[in-house]
Amino acid sequence: KMEIIVMLQAFGTCRESEALGMPYRNLDLKNNVVIIDQQIYQVSNKWLEGHSMSDQPRLGITRVLKTEGSRREVPMSKGIRKWAIEHPMDPDQIVMTTQKGGLVSVSNYWTNYHNPLMKKLGLKGLFIAKTHSLRKYCISSMKRNGTDDATIAMRAGNSVEVITNHYVKMIVDETIHEI
């Protein structure tokens, strides 16, 4: 199931936490869009010690997103659509879970899925080996293909300023350093 997380980042502009919190129902095959309206969250044990929130779950799903524009619909890529058709599941099921059906935290994803794959592919330590680089790749690809900044910002759930100053510029700079 890791491939859907990679595709949601590389072709759907998802942040890691948005991809890991994606329910199947949000892969809207009827309208050919990915609906981004929730994400996974994790609270560290250190933060919980002696805090009034210590009775709250350490890992869960929240509809509170990073920015005001984070709640969005983006066009569904052919790869995401194909995956959704080939892997039907309960609409409320999160698209990637542990073997026991639990939520996959960002740190669990990095440790048990992403890093081992990057090592196996010989990519560990390279720019593209960072999961957030997949989102940067998606945003830069849209820019290179002529998508206007306002559309890119809307699809990425960020402001135009963040897109032009951080994502588009950064992927070009980092890619050049890796070559």
Side-chain angles (χ1 to χ4, degrees):
K1 291 184 181 180
M2 182 180 161
E3 64 189 14
I4 189 60
I5 302 304
V6 171
M7 286 190 289
L8 286 168
Q9 291 184 281
F11 307 115
T13 71
C14 285
R15 296 172 177 95
E16 290 168 308
S17 58
E18 294 167 343
L20 291 169
M22 182 69 61
Y24 185 79
R25 73 173 174 277
N26 285 12
L27 304 179
D28 185 345
L29 294 169
K30 181 180 176 187
N31 295 305
N32 209 38
V33 295
V34 175
I35 301 164
I36 303 163
D37 65 359
Q38 67 183 43
Q39 66 183 356
I40 199 159
Y41 72 88
Q42 182 176 0
V43 180
S44 72
N45 285 335
K46 185 176 180 180
W47 189 82
L48 289 174
E49 288 177 21
H51 194 278
S52 62
M53 298 288 286
S54 61
D55 63 336
Q56 297 295 314
R58 292 183 37 223
L59 185 62
I61 297 291
T62 182
R63 295 182 57 84
V64 176
L65 301 177
K66 185 174 182 180
T67 67
E68 187 176 312
S70 293
R71 192 171 312 282
R72 61 204 188 275
E73 292 183 7
V74 298
M76 184 181 290
S77 72
K78 290 177 185 176
I80 293 172
R81 182 174 184 76
K82 183 177 186 264
W83 186 93
I85 290 168
E86 291 175 355
H87 298 88
M89 56 183 68
D90 180 275
D92 293 327
Q93 176 68 43
I94 300 300
V95 296
M96 183 173 177
T97 58
T98 64
Q99 289 181 341
K100 294 181 180 179
L103 297 174
V104 177
S105 69
V106 172
S107 59
N108 180 314
Y109 176 73
W110 271 78
T111 302
N112 296 312
Y113 302 95
H114 184 80
N115 287 344
L117 177 63
M118 293 302 107
K119 185 175 181 180
K120 181 178 178 180
L121 296 173
L123 299 174
K124 191 165 173 65
L126 296 179
F127 167 71
I128 197 63
K130 303 170 188 167
T131 68
H132 198 69
S133 298
L134 298 170
R135 177 173 152 85
K136 292 175 189 176
Y137 166 81
C138 181
I139 291 167
S140 288
S141 293
M142 285 190 284
K143 181 69 172 175
R144 279 192 309 276
N145 291 330
T147 306
D148 65 274
D149 291 345
T151 300
I152 294 171
M154 184 274 307
R155 289 183 183 169
N158 282 106
S159 68
V160 171
E161 181 181 1
V162 168
I163 296 302
T164 57
N165 292 335
H166 180 67
Y167 286 100
V168 176
K169 178 179 181 287
M170 185 175 279
I171 187 120
V172 172
D173 291 347
E174 289 184 18
T175 302
I176 289 169
H177 284 65
E178 292 304 326
I179 295 172

